Amino acid sequence: MTLPTPELHTARLRLRPFTDADAAPLYALHSSAHVLRYWDSPPWTEPARAQRFIAACRTIEEDGTGARLAIDRVSDGVFIGWCGLTNWNPDFRSASLGYVFDAAAWGHGYATETAHAVLRWAFDTLDLNRVQAETDTRNVASARVLEKLGFVREGTLREDCVVNGDVSDSWVFGLLRREWHPTAGR
């Protein structure tokens, strides 16, 4: 069963399937140690990783396990990051939310705007009951985005990541359909 990656629009953003043309900006995003300082894997050091990521996006779509969307700013068409739902389980009606944005896009509300659009699609089109997200406990800005959208912090995964020798904890957040308010975080 496939899960076609949608094209979604907000007032300022276009969320769309990845194309091969996204390899260079995707590599620039994922090779930044600053951007990935709270990510669960080290920055990329070889450009071929971007092509493998794009291929993996197509695979999860074909397998029906998720969808990752490239994010462009409408005003200038610039790629600013990506957002995705993975681990989609239609039987349990659940999935996991994740996102990464270029540092220049931070502080403008793009993460909240993007996640809101993806959550609307998840609850309305995929009929999800639960969406989960995890963030490094040091990433207060990401935790704030999730809380604005109505996510509830459900617990802490202690020392669940080791990246570049640094051990870190993660917070687990959950959002249930009955708690979802389509106007939250907008």
Side-chain angles (χ1 to χ4, degrees), residues 17 24 28 46 53 56 63 68 78 89 101 109 111 113 120 139 141 143-145 147-148 152 154 157 164-165:
E46 57 182 72
F53 180 92
D63 293 347
R68 289 189 186 129
V78 170
N89 185 321
F101 286 86
E113 189 173 330
R120 180 182 296 275
N139 194 345
R144 227 182 348 230
V145 166
E147 289 167 346
K148 269 197 264 183
V152 173
E154 299 177 332
L157 300 173
N164 293 326

Side-chain angles (χ1 to χ4, degrees), residues 93-155:
R93 295 174 45 220
S94 64
S96 296
L97 176 74
Y99 46 81
V100 181
F101 286 86
D102 183 80
W106 296 351
H108 298 280
Y110 295 135
T112 304
E113 189 173 330
T114 295
H116 185 271
V118 171
L119 289 168
R120 180 182 296 275
W121 173 69
F123 287 120
D124 293 351
T125 303
L126 301 181
D127 191 34
L128 292 188
N129 183 60
R130 175 184 169 77
V131 177
Q132 181 169 308
E134 294 176 15
T135 187
D136 188 298
T137 56
R138 299 168 295 177
N139 194 345
V140 176
S142 187
R144 227 182 348 230
V145 166
L146 296 170
E147 289 167 346
K148 269 197 264 183
L149 292 162
F151 280 81
V152 173
R153 191 168 67 189
E154 299 177 332

Side-chain angles (χ1 to χ4, degrees), residues 12-13 29 71 73 79-81 100-111:
R12 302 181 299 161
L13 304 170
L29 177 70
I71 304 162
R73 207 171 25 228
F79 172 90
I80 61 169
V100 181
F101 286 86
D102 183 80
W106 296 351
H108 298 280
Y110 295 135

Side-chain angles (χ1 to χ4, degrees), residues 23-37 39 41-47 49-50 100 102:
L26 180 64
Y27 176 72
L29 177 70
H30 274 270
S31 63
S32 168
H34 179 64
V35 168
L36 295 186
R37 70 188 183 276
W39 199 246
S41 61
W44 295 348
T45 58
E46 57 182 72
R49 288 286 304 270
V100 181
D102 183 80

